[in-house]
Amino acid sequence: MSFIRTSVVVLTVACASAAVAAAQRPKPYTAPETFTSDLQGRSGNSAVVSKINIQIDRYTHDQDRKGITDALTTGGYPKFLSALRAAPVVGSLEIEKQKFPLRFAREVATAKGRDITLVTESPVYFLGGGRADAKPRAGYEIAVVTLSVDDYGLGTGRMAAAAKVRPDGNGGVILDDYAEEPIRLPVVTRAKTRP
């Protein structure tokens, strides 16, 4: 075998090996993935401190996402809730052995990593709801979690444990949180995925 032919064979095998290795290497932004954090919230004399586990099995398909956001824009909160609850389950949120299905999961790339928005089909916790002067719980039928993580999956987050949304008139969304301020997720960590 000549030197040129041997080099071509070696180069072909090396390129094929590199292509297989690249195909096997996991993408940095992909589901399934799991995030964990402590959570801390306060409303008057009420407080919550716990751990949260977020399992994202997949991100919401564009068609489902558009159906949910269009329902809010054209039909308001009642239509939004119907569209959200009809969407496929894309993961779960677990706090103190209680699991809440996620019906919406979206990631958006940022300069430092990505922002992730998650929506449950029901409220998680009415922080401050036990007070004598607590506002009515009606209408606060979802929970919204937002995470800002870097390329390694480290970051921070917030959660409106009982919330409602409404269109802002400019194509955006206004979030009304039942609590006086969002629950903080001070250190969010992406769990290692199995190879």
Side-chain angles (χ1 to χ4, degrees):
M1 192 187 283
S2 72
F3 174 73
I4 295 175
R5 193 170 190 185
T6 304
S7 298
V8 169
V9 169
V10 170
L11 181 60
T12 303
V13 170
C15 288
S17 297
V20 169
Q24 292 174 344
R25 191 175 310 132
K27 296 178 184 176
Y29 304 147
T30 188
E33 59 186 334
T34 302
F35 293 93
T36 60
S37 180
D38 289 335
L39 58 86
Q40 306 165 353
R42 180 175 230 41
S43 181
N45 292 331
S46 300
V48 61
V49 177
S50 190
K51 295 216 178 274
I52 186 170
N53 187 58
I54 300 165
Q55 174 63 42
I56 303 169
D57 297 323
R58 66 182 175 87
Y59 286 95
T60 302
H61 293 296
D62 287 342
Q63 180 181 341
D64 292 331
R65 181 181 57 79
K66 185 170 177 359
I68 293 167
T69 55
D70 286 355
L72 179 64
T73 304
T74 60
Y77 189 58
K79 293 285 185 189
F80 164 81
L81 284 175
S82 295
L84 177 72
R85 291 174 178 158
V89 172
V90 294
S92 63
L93 182 152
E94 184 175 358
I95 300 173
E96 296 182 5
K97 298 182 183 177
Q98 287 190 319
K99 265 192 177 176
F100 301 88
L102 292 172
R103 296 284 182 169
F104 183 92
R106 183 173 187 219
E107 63 180 344
V108 176
T110 65
K112 295 184 179 182
R114 58 193 166 137
D115 288 340
I116 300 171
T117 303
L118 308 162
V119 183
T120 64
E121 65 178 15
S122 62
V124 172
Y125 188 78
F126 287 92
L127 186 57
R131 295 185 341 215
D133 64 343
K135 59 185 168 184
R137 296 181 181 194
Y140 294 91
E141 299 179 59
I142 61 171
V144 178
V145 176
T146 56
L147 307 175
S148 292
V149 295
D150 64 16
D151 289 336
Y152 300 100
L154 300 174
T156 61
R158 291 178 173 246
M159 177 172 69
K164 57 184 170 182
V165 294
R166 56 191 160 95
D168 70 357
N170 297 319
V173 174
I174 296 172
L175 175 72
D176 292 331
D177 189 343
Y178 183 84
E180 294 168 5
E181 58 185 67
I183 294 172
R184 295 183 318 109
L185 284 64
V187 181
V188 173
T189 306
R190 183 179 191 266
K192 298 260 187 221
T193 56
R194 286 179 270 167

